mmCIF file of all heavy atoms in Angstrom:
data_model
loop_
_atom_site.group_PDB
_atom_site.id
_atom_site.type_symbol
_atom_site.label_atom_id
_atom_site.label_comp_id
_atom_site.label_asym_id
_atom_site.label_seq_id
_atom_site.Cartn_x
_atom_site.Cartn_y
_atom_site.Cartn_z
ATOM 1 N N PHE A 7 17.422 -54.537 -23.631
ATOM 2 C CA PHE A 7 16.575 -53.879 -22.724
ATOM 3 C C PHE A 7 17.319 -52.582 -22.173
ATOM 4 O O PHE A 7 16.577 -51.674 -21.824
ATOM 5 C CB PHE A 7 16.258 -54.814 -21.494
ATOM 6 C CG PHE A 7 15.197 -55.814 -21.835
ATOM 7 C CD1 PHE A 7 15.088 -56.452 -23.014
ATOM 8 C CD2 PHE A 7 14.212 -56.107 -20.819
ATOM 9 C CE1 PHE A 7 14.065 -57.410 -23.292
ATOM 10 C CE2 PHE A 7 13.205 -56.989 -21.057
ATOM 11 C CZ PHE A 7 13.160 -57.683 -22.349
ATOM 12 N N PHE A 8 18.586 -52.602 -22.032
ATOM 13 C CA PHE A 8 19.214 -51.457 -21.426
ATOM 14 C C PHE A 8 19.099 -50.226 -22.301
ATOM 15 O O PHE A 8 19.171 -49.084 -21.748
ATOM 16 C CB PHE A 8 20.762 -51.819 -21.228
ATOM 17 C CG PHE A 8 21.005 -52.775 -20.143
ATOM 18 C CD1 PHE A 8 21.018 -54.114 -20.382
ATOM 19 C CD2 PHE A 8 21.221 -52.349 -18.865
ATOM 20 C CE1 PHE A 8 21.245 -55.054 -19.352
ATOM 21 C CE2 PHE A 8 21.428 -53.204 -17.800
ATOM 22 C CZ PHE A 8 21.495 -54.546 -18.055
ATOM 23 N N GLN A 9 18.845 -50.390 -23.607
ATOM 24 C CA GLN A 9 18.734 -49.268 -24.483
ATOM 25 C C GLN A 9 17.490 -48.422 -24.100
ATOM 26 O O GLN A 9 17.365 -47.259 -24.522
ATOM 27 C CB GLN A 9 18.598 -49.715 -25.957
ATOM 28 C CG GLN A 9 19.807 -50.550 -26.403
ATOM 29 C CD GLN A 9 21.134 -49.886 -26.270
ATOM 30 O OE1 GLN A 9 21.257 -48.691 -26.421
ATOM 31 N NE2 GLN A 9 22.113 -50.623 -25.754
ATOM 32 N N GLY A 10 16.529 -48.957 -23.344
ATOM 33 C CA GLY A 10 15.392 -48.226 -22.906
ATOM 34 C C GLY A 10 15.608 -47.313 -21.807
ATOM 35 O O GLY A 10 14.654 -46.551 -21.414
ATOM 36 N N PHE A 11 16.798 -47.372 -21.141
ATOM 37 C CA PHE A 11 17.077 -46.519 -19.972
ATOM 38 C C PHE A 11 17.905 -45.377 -20.466
ATOM 39 O O PHE A 11 18.727 -45.456 -21.343
ATOM 40 C CB PHE A 11 17.875 -47.293 -18.983
ATOM 41 C CG PHE A 11 17.060 -48.423 -18.296
ATOM 42 C CD1 PHE A 11 17.239 -49.709 -18.766
ATOM 43 C CD2 PHE A 11 16.199 -48.189 -17.291
ATOM 44 C CE1 PHE A 11 16.572 -50.749 -18.185
ATOM 45 C CE2 PHE A 11 15.551 -49.212 -16.661
ATOM 46 C CZ PHE A 11 15.703 -50.503 -17.129
ATOM 47 N N LEU A 12 17.748 -44.190 -19.743
ATOM 48 C CA LEU A 12 18.586 -43.067 -20.003
ATOM 49 C C LEU A 12 20.028 -43.393 -19.406
ATOM 50 O O LEU A 12 20.091 -44.174 -18.380
ATOM 51 C CB LEU A 12 18.090 -41.811 -19.286
ATOM 52 C CG LEU A 12 16.802 -41.259 -19.840
ATOM 53 C CD1 LEU A 12 16.285 -40.142 -18.990
ATOM 54 C CD2 LEU A 12 17.013 -40.759 -21.315
ATOM 55 N N PRO A 13 21.091 -42.986 -20.057
ATOM 56 C CA PRO A 13 22.394 -43.348 -19.556
ATOM 57 C C PRO A 13 22.665 -42.949 -18.054
ATOM 58 O O PRO A 13 23.457 -43.540 -17.473
ATOM 59 C CB PRO A 13 23.359 -42.606 -20.493
ATOM 60 C CG PRO A 13 22.512 -42.404 -21.755
ATOM 61 C CD PRO A 13 21.101 -42.168 -21.280
ATOM 62 N N ASP A 14 21.974 -41.880 -17.596
ATOM 63 C CA ASP A 14 22.245 -41.442 -16.220
ATOM 64 C C ASP A 14 21.244 -42.052 -15.270
ATOM 65 O O ASP A 14 21.163 -41.678 -14.070
ATOM 66 C CB ASP A 14 22.155 -39.935 -16.106
ATOM 67 C CG ASP A 14 20.844 -39.352 -16.553
ATOM 68 O OD1 ASP A 14 20.000 -40.117 -17.049
ATOM 69 O OD2 ASP A 14 20.622 -38.088 -16.304
ATOM 70 N N ALA A 15 20.514 -43.087 -15.644
ATOM 71 C CA ALA A 15 19.593 -43.736 -14.726
ATOM 72 C C ALA A 15 20.415 -44.463 -13.646
ATOM 73 O O ALA A 15 21.505 -44.929 -13.935
ATOM 74 C CB ALA A 15 18.732 -44.794 -15.495
ATOM 75 N N HIS A 16 19.838 -44.606 -12.462
ATOM 76 C CA HIS A 16 20.525 -45.342 -11.455
ATOM 77 C C HIS A 16 20.692 -46.800 -11.826
ATOM 78 O O HIS A 16 19.683 -47.396 -12.304
ATOM 79 C CB HIS A 16 19.782 -45.165 -10.087
ATOM 80 C CG HIS A 16 20.691 -45.554 -8.938
ATOM 81 N ND1 HIS A 16 21.012 -46.862 -8.607
ATOM 82 C CD2 HIS A 16 21.168 -44.794 -7.899
ATOM 83 C CE1 HIS A 16 21.772 -46.847 -7.507
ATOM 84 N NE2 HIS A 16 21.818 -45.579 -7.107
ATOM 85 N N PRO A 17 21.827 -47.409 -11.636
ATOM 86 C CA PRO A 17 21.990 -48.821 -12.051
ATOM 87 C C PRO A 17 20.971 -49.753 -11.345
ATOM 88 O O PRO A 17 20.663 -50.750 -11.910
ATOM 89 C CB PRO A 17 23.503 -49.127 -11.582
ATOM 90 C CG PRO A 17 24.167 -47.830 -11.667
ATOM 91 C CD PRO A 17 23.134 -46.781 -11.268
ATOM 92 N N MET A 18 20.568 -49.407 -10.164
ATOM 93 C CA MET A 18 19.592 -50.226 -9.470
ATOM 94 C C MET A 18 18.207 -50.325 -10.221
ATOM 95 O O MET A 18 17.566 -51.276 -10.242
ATOM 96 C CB MET A 18 19.325 -49.791 -8.040
ATOM 97 C CG MET A 18 20.414 -50.238 -7.066
ATOM 98 S SD MET A 18 20.476 -52.054 -6.799
ATOM 99 C CE MET A 18 19.226 -52.296 -5.592
ATOM 100 N N ALA A 19 17.892 -49.144 -10.880
ATOM 101 C CA ALA A 19 16.718 -49.144 -11.675
ATOM 102 C C ALA A 19 16.806 -50.092 -12.812
ATOM 103 O O ALA A 19 15.864 -50.816 -13.121
ATOM 104 C CB ALA A 19 16.447 -47.688 -12.168
ATOM 105 N N MET A 20 18.025 -50.124 -13.490
ATOM 106 C CA MET A 20 18.209 -51.017 -14.570
ATOM 107 C C MET A 20 18.121 -52.474 -14.101
ATOM 108 O O MET A 20 17.492 -53.255 -14.725
ATOM 109 C CB MET A 20 19.572 -50.706 -15.205
ATOM 110 C CG MET A 20 19.780 -49.369 -15.719
ATOM 111 S SD MET A 20 21.381 -49.190 -16.631
ATOM 112 C CE MET A 20 21.749 -47.504 -16.346
ATOM 113 N N VAL A 21 18.816 -52.754 -13.062
ATOM 114 C CA VAL A 21 18.912 -54.163 -12.562
ATOM 115 C C VAL A 21 17.519 -54.610 -12.162
ATOM 116 O O VAL A 21 17.094 -55.753 -12.498
ATOM 117 C CB VAL A 21 19.842 -54.265 -11.367
ATOM 118 C CG1 VAL A 21 19.791 -55.669 -10.679
ATOM 119 C CG2 VAL A 21 21.292 -53.969 -11.802
ATOM 120 N N CYS A 22 16.748 -53.803 -11.458
ATOM 121 C CA CYS A 22 15.405 -54.131 -10.984
ATOM 122 C C CYS A 22 14.504 -54.547 -12.231
ATOM 123 O O CYS A 22 13.863 -55.529 -12.247
ATOM 124 C CB CYS A 22 14.775 -53.046 -10.222
ATOM 125 S SG CYS A 22 13.221 -53.392 -9.432
ATOM 126 N N GLY A 23 14.585 -53.680 -13.283
ATOM 127 C CA GLY A 23 13.744 -53.912 -14.394
ATOM 128 C C GLY A 23 14.200 -55.142 -15.217
ATOM 129 O O GLY A 23 13.382 -55.997 -15.661
ATOM 130 N N VAL A 24 15.493 -55.311 -15.432
ATOM 131 C CA VAL A 24 16.032 -56.415 -16.213
ATOM 132 C C VAL A 24 15.875 -57.688 -15.531
ATOM 133 O O VAL A 24 15.454 -58.727 -16.177
ATOM 134 C CB VAL A 24 17.489 -56.100 -16.638
ATOM 135 C CG1 VAL A 24 18.117 -57.323 -17.263
ATOM 136 C CG2 VAL A 24 17.656 -54.859 -17.509
ATOM 137 N N VAL A 25 16.069 -57.777 -14.257
ATOM 138 C CA VAL A 25 15.814 -59.103 -13.526
ATOM 139 C C VAL A 25 14.365 -59.459 -13.610
ATOM 140 O O VAL A 25 14.072 -60.670 -13.811
ATOM 141 C CB VAL A 25 16.329 -58.892 -12.060
ATOM 142 C CG1 VAL A 25 15.850 -60.127 -11.221
ATOM 143 C CG2 VAL A 25 17.773 -58.750 -11.982
ATOM 144 N N GLY A 26 13.491 -58.553 -13.469
ATOM 145 C CA GLY A 26 12.045 -58.894 -13.582
ATOM 146 C C GLY A 26 11.762 -59.415 -14.944
ATOM 147 O O GLY A 26 10.865 -60.311 -15.116
ATOM 148 N N ALA A 27 12.404 -58.839 -15.964
ATOM 149 C CA ALA A 27 12.135 -59.329 -17.318
ATOM 150 C C ALA A 27 12.654 -60.711 -17.640
ATOM 151 O O ALA A 27 12.304 -61.266 -18.708
ATOM 152 C CB ALA A 27 12.717 -58.339 -18.310
ATOM 153 N N LEU A 28 13.520 -61.175 -16.824
ATOM 154 C CA LEU A 28 14.152 -62.512 -17.099
ATOM 155 C C LEU A 28 13.072 -63.614 -17.226
ATOM 156 O O LEU A 28 13.208 -64.526 -18.023
ATOM 157 C CB LEU A 28 15.125 -62.955 -15.963
ATOM 158 C CG LEU A 28 16.546 -62.409 -16.025
ATOM 159 C CD1 LEU A 28 17.309 -62.752 -14.766
ATOM 160 C CD2 LEU A 28 17.245 -62.935 -17.308
ATOM 161 N N SER A 29 11.958 -63.448 -16.543
ATOM 162 C CA SER A 29 10.887 -64.479 -16.612
ATOM 163 C C SER A 29 10.383 -64.646 -17.981
ATOM 164 O O SER A 29 9.900 -65.729 -18.329
ATOM 165 C CB SER A 29 9.743 -64.145 -15.648
ATOM 166 O OG SER A 29 9.178 -62.891 -15.993
ATOM 167 N N SER A 30 10.389 -63.596 -18.802
ATOM 168 C CA SER A 30 9.908 -63.681 -20.175
ATOM 169 C C SER A 30 10.785 -64.535 -21.016
ATOM 170 O O SER A 30 10.364 -64.956 -22.119
ATOM 171 C CB SER A 30 9.748 -62.273 -20.724
ATOM 172 O OG SER A 30 10.995 -61.664 -20.909
ATOM 173 N N PHE A 31 11.997 -64.894 -20.577
ATOM 174 C CA PHE A 31 12.871 -65.719 -21.400
ATOM 175 C C PHE A 31 12.812 -67.199 -20.898
ATOM 176 O O PHE A 31 13.336 -68.062 -21.581
ATOM 177 C CB PHE A 31 14.269 -65.227 -21.198
ATOM 178 C CG PHE A 31 14.534 -63.924 -21.898
ATOM 179 C CD1 PHE A 31 14.291 -62.704 -21.239
ATOM 180 C CD2 PHE A 31 15.055 -63.844 -23.217
ATOM 181 C CE1 PHE A 31 14.491 -61.472 -21.799
ATOM 182 C CE2 PHE A 31 15.229 -62.615 -23.805
ATOM 183 C CZ PHE A 31 14.971 -61.431 -23.123
#
């Protein structure tokens, strides 16, 4: 999932998206 973010994205943006995606697993 992290590959969909730009490297300079704020880490909170990544965490927010990835945590929400956990439900799909």
